[in-house]
Amino acid sequence: MSLYTTQDEKKKAAAEAALKHLPRGGILGVGTGSTVNFLIDLLPQLQLEAAVASSTATAERLQKLGIEVIDMNHVGGLDAYVDGADEIDRHMHMIKGGGAALTREKIVASIAKKFVCIVDDSKWVGQLGREFPLPVEVIPMARSAVARKLVALGGDPVYREGVVTDNGNVILDVFNLNILDALEIEKTINNIPGVVTNGIFALNKADIAIVATDNGIEERIAE
Ligand code: 5RP
């Protein structure tokens, strides 16, 4: 028996449990996606000074709730960044970018002292990339060239048709990559000319994962 009847209930529970890990009254970095949307709805409780958003969708949702969204160029650093993930493992390495916001997510996360990841347990995996393809944001003119390099790395890239990122770029979703060393693969793919960034978050991993399981909330840190 599960405490929750739907995946959305788990996402909401993870969002609620994250609140105590986030600063009150400061400036918060806010991720993108359906799990974070549950958190955004709770943010008025934290009486934030402002937020830095990882996407236009998140910015709009924050503003609708009266939360000021500021340009990251006007912020020296953040106490915390909160976001979901498509996959996360016991090292706190993640795959992100299912919502095509990976580049801005990685940028905002990079200036935060703490990355709080909120997920339901369907996102918890033994090895990244076996189920969920790795999103790679690519400058449009380099799409085919980057795809060939990804094939040479052993992956099967698929162009995400009809999707343009907030930065005006395209997404390749890479299936069948053997992500045994997430740090190395993150660096290798980011070094391909034309790649803006890839969805492995290992260089900048989560500090804590709030995982909603059938038995309730578990707080996990890197093993
Ligand atoms: C968006 C992301 C999201 O964090 C990821 O896709 C998880 O989304 P959701 O909470 O909707 O499952 O990386 O680019």
Side-chain angles (χ1 to χ4, degrees), residues 7 11 31-37 83-86 95-102 105 118 120 123 132 201:
Q7 192 181 16
K11 291 180 181 187
T32 298
S34 58
T35 314
V36 160
N37 283 346
D83 204 349
D86 299 301
I95 284 184
K96 293 183 45 54
L102 62 161
E105 290 172 341
I118 51 176
D120 63 83
K123 311 293 186 65
F132 200 88
F201 282 56

Side-chain angles (χ1 to χ4, degrees), residues 32-202:
T32 298
S34 58
T35 314
V36 160
N37 283 346
F38 285 114
L39 178 88
I40 293 173
D41 293 344
L42 302 171
L43 284 182
Q45 297 177 35
L46 293 183
Q47 298 180 309
L48 297 172
E49 190 185 324
V52 175
S54 64
S55 63
T56 52
T58 287
E60 280 167 17
R61 200 171 178 106
L62 288 162
Q63 282 160 338
K64 272 195 193 137
L65 290 169
I67 297 168
E68 187 187 353
V69 176
I70 49 175
D71 186 324
M72 204 179 102
N73 289 304
H74 301 147
V75 178
L78 296 167
D79 286 329
Y81 175 76
V82 60
D83 204 349
D86 299 301
E87 290 189 341
I88 181 164
D89 70 12
R90 65 196 167 87
H91 305 295
M92 296 292 117
H93 296 160
M94 295 164 280
I95 284 184
K96 293 183 45 54
L102 62 161
T103 298
R104 292 190 186 196
E105 290 172 341
K106 207 175 263 195
I107 293 169
V108 182
S110 76
I111 66 159
K113 288 190 193 130
K114 180 168 73 169
F115 189 136
V116 179
C117 180
I118 51 176
V119 287
D120 63 83
D121 55 3
S122 70
K123 311 293 186 65
W124 190 263
V125 297
Q127 184 182 321
L128 297 176
R130 279 197 170 145
E131 301 285 333
F132 200 88
L134 176 66
V136 181
E137 180 165 349
V138 178
I139 304 279
M141 68 168 285
R143 192 182 90 211
S144 298
V146 170
R148 287 192 291 273
K149 301 268 187 200
L150 292 167
V151 168
L153 289 175
D156 296 319
V158 175
Y159 173 41
R160 205 185 289 180
E161 299 255 8
V163 171
V164 177
T165 70
D166 283 351
N167 314 306
N169 299 313
V170 298
I171 299 284
L172 294 174
D173 290 305
V174 191
F175 291 79
N176 302 321
L177 267 183
N178 190 16
I179 307 179
L180 280 176
D181 186 340
L183 277 165
E184 266 317 299
I185 294 183
E186 182 177 3
K187 286 189 263 185
T188 301
I189 295 177
N190 281 350
N191 269 334
I192 300 173
V195 168
V196 180
T197 198
N198 73 84
I200 297 178
F201 282 56

